[in-house]
Structures are given as structure tokens and as C-alpha cells.
Amino acid sequence: MKIALVQMRSTADLDANLTSMRRSTESAAKKGARMVVFPEMAYFSAPLKACPPVTSRFAALCREFGEWAKALGIYLLPGSLREPASAGRHFNTLPVFGPDGNEVTRYRKVFLFKARLPDRSYDESHYTDAGGEVTTFTAEGICFGLAICYDLRFPELFRSLKKRGAQVVFLPSAFTVPTGKAHWEALTRARAIENQFTLAAPGLTGTSGNGAKTYGHSIVVDAWGKVRALADTKPRTLFLQYDAKHGEDCRSRVDPWASRRDDLFP
């Protein structure tokens, strides 16, 4: 399966973002992509007070993304969206749409970003409810796992995805510049190596509509920890041709999964 990862800048202009996303989706499909994946909050990034009107359009936007997938005959992961939750709050939700236009599954971000960095502080829990489920789905015989951005720092989620059979894990992200420079490649490679799956992480780049500076550097890491594709900070699309045999070859050389101690670490 050919998979496209779209790196882009997210602004506070919903319509402009959607136009850019549609154009990138159509271009990737024309190049043979069967699945197109966008970064975290690709569709809209703005100060918190500007978000409620867009959050209330969650259902309508899901229908629109489903229509794109059906029109192009692809699987579409439009990046995470704000899904209405408890009063005045939302989930950070990653939906998946199939070639028939229907929603295949959705993942709600489990780990909420909290950090104090040189340029600003973050605490996603002030306005976001955490999800509570590990999510995988199967398409064209491949098992895919879902995670979002800050989840990368929590290896237990990725072990759980592996236990569910994940062969490829998507990590739509909006990594900050300071944490991206320090940890992005190291952590993406670690998660791929320790679980022997492919990790594909499309990221936002540039200054987003909420003023946050994002790192870009979308990445594909294979089951051996080799970086198969890496973007810089410019908007672009990376392509991944997934090969299940590569993962099998890696496990034939060294198979730490077979040496697990579930008696000590259930």
C-alpha cells in the first residue's frame, strides 16, 4: 500500500486550510496513494476563544472528509479534530474514513500535552478531555495503530498497539520547535525499534494560527529503526510504500517480542 504523509502549516483560516488539504489529498491520490494522513490540528489552529464555532462543526466536517475519501477512493486521516466533549471542552480526535466514505474508527488522544518551554507554556488538559481507548484498524490486510503527538513519550501506548497487531503506527503531530530539536527523531526511532513496526509521523510546520512554532520534520521510520523518509521545515508530502516482509526480516534477525516477561510486566 502506498501511503502519503502531508506536512503543512495550519492557520486560523478554516476554509483556507481545507482548500489546502483537499488539494494535497487530490495530488497524493493522483500519485497512487491509497491512504493520506495529515498532522494534528491541520484543519484549524487558532487562539482558544476562536475554537468553539469550529468545534461545533465537528460532525459536518467529518461528513466532508468522508466525501473526499469516497470521491477519491482512498482512506483519509485528516489529522486530529476538536470533537465536542463536556461543556466547553473537546476531545483531540483522529478519525479515519474509508473509500466508501464511512468512518472506519476514531482515536481520542490519551495523553494531554503539558510543558513549560522558553517561548510559552502548554497545558492541554485545561480545555481537552483525555481519551480512554487504544485504537487500531485494518485496511487492505495491514493493521494500523493510532497515536497523536505527545503520546510519543509514553511507550506503554505503543506496546499496547503492538499487542493488538499494529504493523504501521500513525502519529499526526504538532511538535514544538524546542522539543522537536531535542527529542523528535530519537523518540520516533525508539518507538519503532522497540516494537518492530513502521512509525509514520506527519507534522505541522511553521507558525500555526495560535502562534505556536511547530517543528515539521515529518518522518517515516521502519522496523529496524532506519529513517526511510524525513522532511525539513517546508510544506511537502512524503510517501511510504509499506512492505510487510521487511518487518518479518527484522524479527528473523532479533525478536525481543518473543523474549517478553509478561509474568513480571503484564
Side-chain angles (χ1 to χ4, degrees), residues 118-157:
D119 58 334
R120 61 195 296 170
S121 294
Y122 301 82
D123 192 341
E124 200 174 5
S125 67
H126 284 168
Y127 47 85
T128 306
D129 287 348
E133 294 185 6
V134 178
T135 305
T136 59
F137 70 97
T138 299
E140 299 187 2
I142 303 168
C143 183
F144 296 93
L146 301 177
I148 300 173
C149 200
Y150 189 56
D151 286 337
L152 182 62
R153 296 183 181 275
F154 299 88
E156 58 268 36
L157 173 59

Side-chain angles (χ1 to χ4, degrees), residues 38-234:
F38 284 88
E40 181 183 27
M41 297 297 169
Y43 82 126
F44 184 73
S45 181
L48 191 60
K49 63 182 180 181
C51 292
V54 174
T55 302
S56 67
R57 295 178 59 181
F58 174 78
L61 287 165
C62 283
R63 287 193 294 273
E64 181 173 351
F65 289 128
E67 290 169 0
W68 294 7
K70 185 176 182 179
L72 296 169
I74 61 168
Y75 290 89
L76 176 63
L77 286 71
S80 63
L81 316 176
R82 296 169 184 83
E83 177 190 3
S86 51
R89 298 172 64 80
H90 63 261
F91 293 108
N92 188 338
T93 299
L94 174 61
V96 180
F97 302 97
D100 60 0
N102 293 325
E103 184 174 324
V104 175
T105 191
R106 66 177 60 167
Y107 166 69
R108 292 168 172 166
K109 189 177 183 181
V110 170
F111 296 104
L112 304 180
F113 185 42
K114 186 174 183 178
R116 287 188 296 175
L117 301 175
D119 58 334
R120 61 195 296 170
S121 294
Y122 301 82
D123 192 341
E124 200 174 5
S125 67
H126 284 168
Y127 47 85
T128 306
D129 287 348
E133 294 185 6
V134 178
T135 305
T136 59
F137 70 97
T138 299
E140 299 187 2
I142 303 168
C143 183
F144 296 93
L146 301 177
I148 300 173
C149 200
Y150 189 56
D151 286 337
L152 182 62
R153 296 183 181 275
F154 299 88
E156 58 268 36
L157 173 59
F158 295 84
R159 296 300 267 183
S160 295
L161 291 169
K162 173 71 173 183
K163 286 182 179 181
R164 289 170 181 248
Q167 297 162 278
V168 179
V169 173
F170 293 125
L171 183 84
S173 299
F175 245 65
T176 69
V177 171
T179 59
K181 288 180 177 178
H183 303 143
W184 176 247
E185 185 171 331
L187 287 174
T188 52
R189 293 186 67 201
R191 296 295 87 85
I193 292 167
E194 64 200 8
N195 295 294
Q196 292 186 312
F197 51 41
T198 294
L199 182 65
L204 291 185
T205 192
T207 302
S208 296
N210 60 3
K213 295 179 180 178
T214 53
Y215 184 60
H217 292 82
S218 298
I219 194 169
V220 176
V221 185
D222 70 19
W224 195 248
K226 182 177 180 179
V227 176
R228 292 287 181 174
L230 178 63
D232 51 21
T233 58
K234 297 177 182 178

